[in-house]
């Protein structure tokens, strides 16, 4: 009898232990007070939160043991976990965007100041050095700087064509000024233009400027564009929503421990990594092209130095122009003789004055350089930061787990593994979509990549190709035209709009005056603005310029940095619309002075990447 009683007592004790472990109602239910406190702190109502654990058959995401969560609580916490992860992703993206934006503004400011300083040096020195030769052609020089500025900004201009047209126009004007006693009709000036390449009236300056400016401007603008594209890719990828399977997995990772009454159990590190590697599988596929882009940007900075580098060339344009005019004056008599030999004796202008006295040779004071080491410091900082963010996409799951998810620091058998406290056994998956085929936490369809991210991968590839072409001195937009051209950029391969613009230069009106960019001639010969115009909105990607640019003054007189017309790509316009910053009807005007006319279609900015 005693043995039977003792056996019964042992049986009851064992049953009690099992019931307690399983949360049996026969045992004393655990309190949900800690869960109630956490749930209420997140702003949810406590009216439906149970005081003690209840049966969990209603749960759809968390394990269906005894629980402190109702169906409504589980849904609320699932939505909250998704929102918190999306917020963490946006925060990480904003930090990266801010760094890229700072770099972009710094380099853009520096490059624009170089060009603006060169134009100011020209405006200060040329009137005294060249007198009427400059005064009567000041507009041509301003137009050149405007087009150089537009080209740097990404406008659809062929730089070699632009320079060739400038020299052709300048030669016609200066030759007429140097020979006011002669009648020089259009056909005679056409003959002069055809012989210009052989005569080299400006010496070697045009050729040297063309070769150096092409490489320098292509390098500068492609580097700044690269920063803009990188920032734009980060912004667009941050807007990609999390999928439903990811949302379920994140809820299980973050809040199911609360529902099971163990809110103090923090996620196991490897468990968290598997969840986020599955959620961010598409983002990790950006890694290869992201690295290629950043490597190409670091490489292109090699073109910023030396006599043909960005700083020397962009900041010294006026010096090449001065050298060209000096050469023309020095060789004036020889040039005139050769022109007469090739084109015949022009008629004498009976009402014209006598031959102009030989102009004095221009002497320019050294240009004001930026503070010593400015570009070197910018490049050094940029290289370090670009290298730091190379593994951004594949390190993102680990970064979010360690910084945002409050991972367990306890021993492996005390962390939350998705089912209970205990060791997490599955191995950590690799990076990228293809490696998630056996992800134990997130069901990922590796046959359906995210299309938005695939588009951004293509954008990275395109920009990398531009940078690599720029490193070799080629502008990818006009590479075929340059290959077909004769060295001056005027071969058959130039685009129709530019060829048409070049041919129209032969009209007499183009020799009389150079109209502002975007101002068209009416049938009566007076300037008339195009039908529509928009203000000179500025920026690469989503980053506004901080330079000295401003709308053209109402008088029509440009100053260094004066720009007109739209310089936005399709993607930039869409971004402005998204931010609500696109001008409404009736609000289209400049901030200062009169509104700038819209650029002629041939000068409008061509999106440097597909929208």
């Amino acid at each position: 009898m005693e043995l039977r009683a003792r056996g019964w007592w042992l049986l009851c004790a064992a049953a009690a232990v099992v019931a307690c472990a399983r949360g049996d109602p026969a045992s004393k239910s655990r309190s949900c007070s800690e869960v109630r406190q956490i749930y209420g702190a997140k702003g949810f109502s406590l009216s439906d939160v149970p005081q003690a654990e209840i049966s969990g058959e209603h749960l759809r995401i968390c394990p269906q043991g005894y629980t402190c969560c109702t169906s409504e609580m589980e849904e609320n916490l699932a939505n909250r976990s998704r929102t918190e992860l999306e917020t963490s992703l946006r925060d990480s993206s904003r930090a990266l965007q801010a760094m890229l934006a700072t770099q972009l503004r710094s380099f853009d400011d520096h490059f624009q100041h170089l060009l603006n300083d060169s134009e100011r040096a020209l405006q200060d020195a040329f009137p005294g050095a060249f007198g009427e030769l400059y005064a009567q052609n000041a507009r041509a020089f301003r137009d050149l700087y405007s087009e150089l500025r537009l080209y740097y900004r990404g406008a659809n201009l062929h730089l070699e064509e632009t320079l060739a047209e400038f020299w052709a126009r300048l030669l016609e004007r200066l030759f007429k000024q140097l020979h006011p006693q002669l009648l020089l009709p259009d056909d005679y000036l056409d003959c002069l233009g055809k012989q210009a390449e052989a005569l080299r009236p400006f010496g070697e300056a045009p050729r040297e400027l063309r070769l150096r400016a092409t490489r320098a401007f292509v390098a500068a603008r492609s580097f700044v564009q690269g920063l803009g594209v990188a920032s734009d890719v980060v912004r667009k990828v941050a807007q990609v929503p999390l999928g439903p399977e990811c949302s379920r997995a994140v809820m299980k990772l973050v809040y199911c421990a609360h529902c099971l009454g163990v809110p103090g159990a923090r996620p196991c590190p490897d468990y968290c990594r598997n969840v986020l590697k599955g959620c961010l599988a598409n983002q990790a596929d950006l890694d290869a092209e992201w690295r290629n882009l950043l490597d190409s940007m670091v490489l292109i900075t090699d073109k910023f130095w030396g006599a043909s580098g960005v700083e020397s060339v962009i900041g010294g344009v006026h010096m090449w122009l001065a050298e060209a005019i000096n050469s023309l004056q020095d060789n004036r008599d020889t040039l005139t003789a050769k022109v007469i030999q090739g084109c015949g004796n022009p008629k004498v202008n009976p009402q014209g004055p006598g031959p102009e006295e030989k102009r004095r040779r221009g002497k320019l004071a050294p240009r004001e350089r930026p503070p010593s080491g400015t570009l070197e410091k910018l490049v050094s900082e940029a290289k370090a930061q670009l290298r730091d963010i190379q593994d951004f996409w594949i390190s993102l799951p680990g970064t979010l787990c360690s910084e945002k998810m409050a991972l367990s620091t306890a021993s492996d058998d005390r962390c939350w593994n998705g089912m209970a406290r205990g060791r997490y056994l599955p191995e950590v998956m690799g990076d990228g979509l293809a490696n998630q085929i056996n992800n134990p936490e997130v069901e990922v369809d590796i046959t359906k990549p995210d299309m938005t991210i695939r588009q951004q991968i293509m954008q990275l590839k395109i920009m990398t190709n531009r940078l690599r072409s720029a490193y070799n001195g080629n502008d990818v937009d006009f590479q075929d035209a340059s290959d077909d051209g004769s060295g001056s950029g005027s071969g058959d391969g130039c685009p129709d709009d530019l060829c048409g613009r070049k041919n129209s230069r032969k009209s007499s009106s183009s020799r009389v005056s150079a109209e502002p960019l975007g101002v068209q001639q009416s049938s009566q010969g007076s300037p008339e603005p195009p039908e529509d115009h928009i203000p000179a909105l500025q920026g690469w990607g989503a980053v506004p310029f901080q330079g000295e640019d401003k709308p053209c003054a109402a008088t029509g007189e440009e100053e260094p940095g004066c720009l007109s017309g739209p310089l936005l790509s399709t993607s930039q316009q869409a971004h402005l619309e998204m931010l609500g910053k696109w001008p409404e009807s009736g609000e289209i005007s400049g901030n200062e002075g009169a509104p700038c006319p819209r650029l002629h279609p041939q000068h409008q900015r061509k999106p440097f990447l597909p929208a």
Side-chain angles (χ1 to χ4, degrees):
M1 186 70 179
E2 184 179 353
L3 291 174
R4 183 181 298 177
R6 181 177 297 177
W8 177 251
W9 182 86
L10 292 174
L11 181 63
C12 289
V17 170
V18 171
C20 181
R22 297 179 58 187
D24 195 297
S27 68
K28 184 178 181 181
S29 298
R30 283 182 296 186
S31 171
C32 292
S33 59
E34 189 175 359
V35 175
R36 288 173 60 87
Q37 182 179 0
I38 295 173
Y39 190 74
K42 294 185 177 297
F44 298 117
S45 171
L46 298 179
S47 59
D48 295 329
V49 182
Q51 297 289 340
E53 288 181 329
I54 60 176
S55 178
E57 290 87 351
H58 57 278
L59 298 178
R60 296 185 178 183
I61 300 175
C62 297
Q64 294 182 335
Y66 282 87
T67 181
C68 287
C69 288
T70 63
S71 295
E72 183 181 359
M73 290 175 64
E74 185 184 44
E75 182 179 355
N76 288 339
L77 290 173
N79 292 333
R80 175 61 59 89
S81 65
R82 183 183 64 252
T83 300
E84 288 174 347
L85 177 56
E86 289 174 340
T87 299
S88 296
L89 286 170
R90 283 194 296 269
D91 289 344
S92 297
S93 299
R94 287 195 188 103
L96 180 54
Q97 282 181 269
M99 184 275 286
L100 293 169
T102 299
Q103 290 290 344
L104 188 151
R105 283 193 293 268
S106 297
F107 279 96
D108 178 62
D109 283 350
H110 185 74
F111 293 148
Q112 289 201 81
H113 280 129
L114 288 175
L115 192 58
N116 291 342
D117 288 346
S118 173
E119 186 174 12
R120 289 192 187 95
L122 180 145
Q123 293 172 347
D124 292 342
F126 274 39
F130 302 117
E132 287 299 310
L133 288 182
Y134 168 74
Q136 294 185 28
N137 298 287
R139 185 56 178 273
F141 292 101
R142 290 198 299 268
D143 287 347
L144 173 63
Y145 276 93
S146 294
E147 294 200 304
L148 291 176
R149 198 168 284 111
L150 287 170
Y151 179 81
Y152 164 72
R153 286 288 187 89
N156 186 17
L157 293 176
H158 192 325
L159 186 56
E160 291 188 2
E161 284 287 335
T162 298
L163 292 171
E165 292 172 27
F166 166 75
W167 293 118
R169 288 195 303 269
L170 188 64
L171 175 60
E172 293 173 357
R173 292 168 177 267
L174 294 181
F175 194 81
K176 291 179 71 173
Q177 277 185 261
L178 292 172
H179 301 88
Q181 78 282 10
L182 301 177
L183 291 173
L184 300 172
D186 288 349
D187 57 351
Y188 198 91
L189 294 177
D190 287 339
C191 178
L192 171 64
K194 292 176 181 178
Q195 296 193 57
E197 185 173 356
L199 296 175
R200 295 191 177 183
F202 296 111
E204 292 296 318
R207 177 179 175 276
E208 290 293 322
L209 179 60
R210 173 175 60 82
L211 293 175
R212 299 189 188 200
T214 299
R215 290 181 176 272
F217 276 92
V218 168
R221 83 168 187 171
S222 63
F223 181 81
V224 175
Q225 284 175 351
L227 291 169
V229 168
S231 177
D232 204 46
V233 167
V234 174
R235 177 181 63 83
K236 290 180 179 178
V237 171
Q239 296 169 0
V240 174
L242 299 175
E245 293 299 326
C246 171
S247 298
R248 291 174 58 87
V250 172
M251 165 59 188
K252 192 175 177 182
L253 171 74
V254 179
Y255 289 122
C256 279
H258 295 60
C259 288
L260 266 65
V262 285
R266 297 182 177 183
C268 300
D270 287 352
Y271 172 39
C272 181
R273 291 187 184 94
N274 270 345
V275 170
L276 293 193
K277 279 177 179 283
C279 288
L280 304 177
N282 282 281
Q283 286 84 338
D285 282 347
L286 289 157
D287 178 67
E289 292 306 326
W290 177 259
R291 289 175 182 272
N292 287 339
L293 175 69
L294 300 187
D295 286 342
S296 298
M297 291 176 63
V298 170
L299 187 62
I300 199 68
T301 59
D302 292 344
K303 301 299 180 180
F304 291 177
W305 319 116
S308 298
V310 169
E311 193 155 32
S312 297
V313 175
I314 296 180
V317 171
H318 62 291
M319 304 300 289
W320 297 103
L321 299 177
E323 181 180 329
I325 298 176
N326 290 336
S327 181
L328 178 69
Q329 293 183 101
D330 290 344
N331 300 304
R332 168 186 172 180
D333 296 337
T334 303
L335 172 65
T336 302
K338 290 182 177 179
V339 171
I340 291 175
Q341 181 180 0
C343 300
N345 275 308
K347 296 181 180 179
V348 176
N349 183 3
Q351 299 179 346
E356 288 286 300
E357 294 184 4
K358 192 169 185 177
R359 262 66 176 181
R360 61 188 181 278
R361 183 181 182 88
K363 296 292 184 182
L364 296 183
R367 67 184 179 90
E368 182 180 350
R369 293 182 176 273
S372 177
T374 300
L375 187 57
E376 289 85 348
K377 182 180 179 181
L378 290 176
V379 169
S380 177
E381 292 176 352
K383 284 183 175 180
Q385 292 183 340
L386 292 177
R387 291 191 178 105
D388 287 344
I389 63 173
Q390 277 198 326
D391 63 348
F392 175 80
W393 300 109
I394 59 173
S395 67
L396 195 54
T399 300
L400 293 176
C401 282
S402 61
E403 296 181 0
K404 305 294 184 179
M405 296 299 181
L407 296 184
S408 173
T409 57
S411 59
D412 289 343
D413 58 352
R414 299 294 296 166
C415 59
W416 171 251
N417 63 16
M419 298 298 294
R421 287 182 185 267
R423 187 181 300 273
Y424 183 76
L425 298 177
E427 65 176 346
V428 178
M429 298 293 101
D431 300 311
L433 187 62
N435 286 318
Q436 307 311 309
I437 188 170
N438 294 318
N439 191 308
E441 309 304 335
V442 186
E443 185 176 343
V444 181
D445 188 347
I446 66 171
T447 67
K448 295 181 179 179
D450 183 88
M451 287 297 101
T452 297
I453 292 180
R454 297 295 131 175
Q455 291 171 359
Q456 298 314 305
I457 290 174
M458 182 57 64
Q459 304 289 57
L460 294 172
K461 288 182 178 179
I462 294 172
M463 191 64 238
T464 298
N465 183 55
R466 294 178 64 92
L467 285 160
R468 290 174 176 172
S469 295
Y471 184 81
N472 294 321
N474 299 318
D475 185 347
V476 72
D477 287 341
F478 294 99
Q479 189 168 352
D480 293 339
S482 297
D483 290 343
D484 271 346
S486 61
S488 62
S490 58
D492 294 336
C494 65
D496 292 340
D497 57 349
L498 289 172
C499 291
R501 183 157 64 99
K502 178 188 174 187
N503 293 335
S504 67
R505 179 182 54 80
K506 295 183 179 181
S507 66
S508 59
S509 62
S510 69
R511 295 193 178 96
V512 174
S513 64
E515 294 299 335
L517 298 178
V519 177
Q520 303 167 350
Q521 291 288 335
S522 68
S523 56
Q524 287 78 22
S526 59
E528 70 178 13
E531 296 178 357
D532 60 344
H533 58 276
I534 66 174
L537 299 172
Q538 303 167 348
W540 304 100
V543 185
F545 279 113
Q546 302 294 326
E548 300 180 1
D549 304 308
K550 49 191 171 297
C552 307
T555 59
E557 292 295 327
E558 292 104 337
E559 300 177 20
C562 171
L563 286 172
S564 61
L567 302 175
L568 299 177
S569 68
T570 304
S571 61
Q572 293 167 336
Q573 295 173 15
H575 183 53
L576 286 176
E577 291 170 353
M578 180 190 72
L579 296 177
K581 294 182 178 179
W582 195 251
E584 300 291 340
S585 175
E587 295 180 353
I588 303 176
S589 62
N591 293 329
E592 302 176 9
C596 296
R598 185 173 186 171
L599 300 181
H600 189 276
Q602 68 199 21
H603 290 96
Q604 289 183 16
R605 174 175 178 154
K606 176 182 178 182
F608 53 79
L609 289 173

